[in-house]
């Protein structure tokens, strides 16, 4: 009877089912805990969540440069000041050329929006008549008129008063927070490591370094790709002659930060303007309607193909490997909780959680439980299990340093200096 029970518990199928059961229950518990933490602790102070997220992105962008300067002998404070000065200079020059053009096109688009909506109403009514459908579109477009609620909403959006002010405040707060974080980052890391037992230092450092590499590469790569998509979309839409090409290109670049669905959202304004406008320009001077819509779609499609096959594979490191279903669910949850900012932060948050889950799975999950060591050895030897765990973690997130217990401190003889080993600290890369 004991042999039968031992063999049953040592079954590989049962072992896998037990592991998945424990992981699923753990994820449910973590989700419930995260919800309560969000509702009780974070939601009342949600005003600081977005500036802090912006600060963390800037830290991941600029800390490698500051660390490199510090390695060359430059004090960290002066290296941070120099890096921020160059960064702000580049941002200021870009805004100096882009903001006047974008403001002019946004103002023009807001003034012509009622006419574009009227054109869309008449075109949609003619389409329904050809299909033989008796559908009234007047009430729908009356809601979108400047007198309606949605029209007033569009007017407020494209006036760029409240929106630009809020974005500027968030960016400035994030910039100030990130400056202090970059300057004091080594002290913060040492203080955090002091809260962890010394025996777990190496394991924690390994996890944090993998998370730092994954998130740093993701943020830097996504911002560079979004910049390329925005500028290339502006150029392509200008060539085909789409009005307000700068605004539409900027929207396409911004929404490209959202994986999978971002390019489709960025194409909606281009198609709307192409079908409703009565003028065109650019180099090709395509006729408004289907010719201009097809031209704009081809331009955006070419930009996306260049991004997908040339830019992203070489710029965005392949450290964030997530299933499309996981990405879609993460975007839905992030968008529900924090709107656009939640959708932007969903993928890196899930990537960090995946690293933690994989590490827990490969280093903590053992079956059968501790009461049957002979079955554990018979099902799979400890050497084989450790080797397989290391291979799995390296394949998903990179190499892992072995976890070793620290030897007990030995008192140095009289007259000799006792050698002390410096504790490792995690670095954001």
């Amino acid at each position: 009877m004991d042999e039968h029970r031992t063999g049953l518990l040592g079954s590989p199928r049962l072992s896998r089912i037990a592991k998945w059961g424990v992981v699923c229950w753990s994820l449910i518990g973590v989700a419930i805990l995260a919800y309560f933490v969000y509702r009780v602790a974070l939601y009342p102070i949600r005003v600081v969540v977005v500036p802090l997220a912006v600060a963390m992105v800037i830290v991941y962008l600029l800390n490698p440069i500051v660390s490199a300067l510090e390695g060359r002998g430059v004090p960290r404070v002066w290296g941070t000041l120099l890096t921020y000065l160059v960064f702000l200079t580049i941002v200021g020059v870009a805004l100096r050329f882009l903001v006047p053009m974008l403001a002019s096109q946004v103002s023009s688009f807001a003034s012509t929006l009622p006419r574009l909506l009227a054109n869309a109403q008449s075109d949609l009514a003619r389409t329904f008549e050809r299909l033989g459908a008796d559908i009234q579109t007047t009430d729908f477009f009356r809601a979108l008129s400047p007198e309606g609620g949605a029209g007033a909403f569009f007017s407020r959006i494209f006036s760029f008063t409240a929106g630009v002010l809020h974005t500027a405040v968030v960016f400035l707060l994030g910039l100030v927070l990130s400056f202090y974080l970059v300057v004091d980052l080594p002290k913060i890391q040492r203080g955090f490591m002091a809260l962890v037992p010394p025996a777990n230092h190496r394991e924690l450092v390994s996890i944090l370094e993998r998370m730092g590499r994954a998130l740093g590469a993701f943020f830097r790569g996504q911002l560079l790709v979004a910049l390329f998509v925005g500028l290339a979309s502006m150029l392509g839409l200008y060539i085909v002659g789409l009005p307000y090409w700068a605004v539409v290109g900027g929207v396409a670049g911004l929404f490209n930060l959202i994986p999978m669905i971002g390019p489709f959202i960025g194409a909606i304004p281009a198609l709307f303007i192409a079908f409703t406008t009565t003028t065109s320009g650019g180099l090709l001077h395509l006729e408004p309607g289907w010719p201009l819509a097809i031209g704009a779609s081809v331009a955006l499609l070419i930009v996306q193909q260049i991004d997908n096959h040339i830019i992203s594979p070489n710029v965005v490191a392949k450290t964030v490997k997530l299933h499309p279903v996981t990405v879609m669910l993460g975007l839905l949850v992030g968008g529900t909780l924090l709107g656009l900012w939640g959708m932007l932060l969903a993928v890196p948050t899930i990537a960090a959680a995946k690293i933690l889950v994989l590490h827990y799975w490969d280093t903590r999950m053992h079956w059968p439980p501790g009461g049957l060591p002979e079955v554990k050895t018979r099902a799979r030897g400890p050497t084989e299990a450790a080797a397989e765990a290391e291979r799995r973690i390296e394949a998903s997130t990179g190499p892992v340093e072995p976890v070793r217990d620290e030897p007990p401190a030995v008192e140095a003889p009289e007259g000799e200096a006792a050698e002390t080993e410096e504790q490792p600290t995690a670095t954001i890369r």
Side-chain angles (χ1 to χ4, degrees):
M1 184 67 180
D2 291 340
E3 292 182 359
H4 177 72
R5 177 175 176 271
T6 299
L8 180 63
L9 292 178
S11 171
R13 184 182 297 273
L14 182 59
S15 174
R16 191 168 187 84
I17 293 175
K19 284 186 175 183
W20 277 110
V22 172
V23 170
C24 290
W25 279 110
S26 301
L27 290 178
I28 292 173
V30 170
I32 295 174
L33 179 62
Y35 174 77
F36 279 105
V37 170
Y38 172 77
R39 294 295 300 179
V40 175
L42 296 181
Y43 188 78
I45 57 171
R46 61 190 180 276
V47 67
V48 304
V49 173
V50 175
L52 186 59
V54 173
M56 292 304 299
V57 172
I58 297 176
V59 168
Y60 276 108
L61 288 176
L62 303 183
N63 182 67
I65 303 175
V66 175
S67 299
L69 292 175
E70 186 181 17
R72 294 180 175 272
V74 180
R76 191 168 185 86
V77 175
W78 292 107
T80 304
L81 287 173
L82 179 61
T83 303
Y84 271 70
L85 180 62
V86 175
F87 174 73
L88 292 177
T89 301
I90 295 175
V91 173
V93 171
L95 293 178
R96 169 64 180 83
F97 289 98
L98 290 178
V99 167
M101 179 175 55
L102 288 174
S104 174
Q105 291 199 6
V106 165
S107 177
S108 178
F109 179 71
S111 62
T112 58
L113 181 61
R115 179 172 57 83
L116 296 179
L117 292 174
N119 295 338
Q121 177 183 356
S122 59
D123 292 341
L124 191 60
R126 285 196 299 267
T127 302
F128 286 151
E129 290 178 0
R130 293 174 184 174
L131 296 176
D134 187 13
I135 299 178
Q136 298 295 327
T137 60
T138 306
D139 295 336
F140 171 74
F141 282 96
R142 184 182 295 117
L144 296 180
S145 63
E147 293 79 10
F153 172 75
F154 275 119
S155 300
R156 288 194 299 268
I157 288 293
F158 290 105
S159 65
F160 262 67
T161 303
V164 169
L165 180 61
H166 176 72
T167 303
V169 170
V170 168
F171 182 76
L172 289 176
L173 288 176
L175 198 63
V176 173
L177 290 174
S178 65
F179 179 83
Y180 286 106
L181 288 176
V182 171
V183 171
D184 294 332
L185 191 58
K187 298 179 182 178
I188 296 174
Q189 291 172 346
R190 289 193 295 269
F192 177 74
M193 295 301 294
L195 302 176
V196 180
N200 298 328
H201 278 189
R202 294 187 180 277
E203 182 180 16
L204 181 62
V205 167
S206 176
I207 297 173
L208 293 180
E209 285 185 349
R210 289 202 304 271
M211 293 176 60
R213 285 196 300 267
L215 297 182
F218 176 81
F219 286 133
R220 290 189 290 268
Q222 284 295 100
L223 290 176
L224 288 175
V225 168
L227 179 62
F228 164 78
V229 170
L231 296 178
S233 299
M234 291 181 186
L235 178 61
L237 296 176
Y238 171 76
I239 291 175
V240 301
L242 185 76
Y244 320 115
W245 49 270
V247 176
V248 178
V251 170
L254 174 63
F255 280 99
N256 197 78
L257 293 171
I258 304 176
M260 299 182 66
I261 65 174
F264 297 98
I265 298 177
I268 293 176
L271 296 179
F272 172 76
I273 294 174
F275 280 116
T276 56
T277 188
T278 56
T279 60
S280 65
L283 300 179
L284 299 182
H285 295 283
L286 297 179
E287 292 293 329
W290 281 105
L292 186 56
I294 294 175
S297 301
V298 170
L300 294 177
L301 181 61
I302 292 175
V303 173
Q304 288 298 323
Q305 292 302 312
I306 296 175
D307 171 31
N308 295 334
H309 294 89
I310 299 177
I311 305 299
S312 291
N314 295 307
V315 174
V316 182
K318 298 180 179 180
T319 53
V320 181
K321 300 177 182 179
L322 298 175
H323 194 275
V325 175
T326 305
V327 175
M328 291 298 296
L329 293 177
L331 293 176
L332 289 175
V333 174
T336 303
L337 295 178
L338 293 175
L340 177 61
W341 290 103
M343 299 178 72
L344 294 176
L345 298 175
V347 173
T349 302
I350 297 175
K354 177 186 175 182
I355 294 175
L356 294 176
V357 170
L358 281 177
H359 180 82
Y360 180 81
W361 175 278
D362 289 322
T363 60
R364 298 295 190 274
M365 292 298 300
H366 299 290
W367 184 266
L372 296 172
E374 68 280 357
V375 179
K376 186 188 305 182
T377 304
R378 187 162 54 247
R380 186 175 56 180
T383 304
E384 181 184 353
E388 181 179 348
E390 186 174 351
R391 286 195 302 269
R392 284 170 56 90
I393 297 178
E394 287 182 359
S396 60
T397 58
V400 184
E401 296 183 7
V403 180
R404 296 189 296 269
D405 294 334
E406 296 293 332
V410 180
E411 188 174 351
E414 237 179 275
E416 294 182 15
E419 297 182 358
T420 58
E421 182 180 357
E422 184 180 355
Q423 296 293 344
T425 56
T427 57
I428 294 181
R429 300 181 178 179

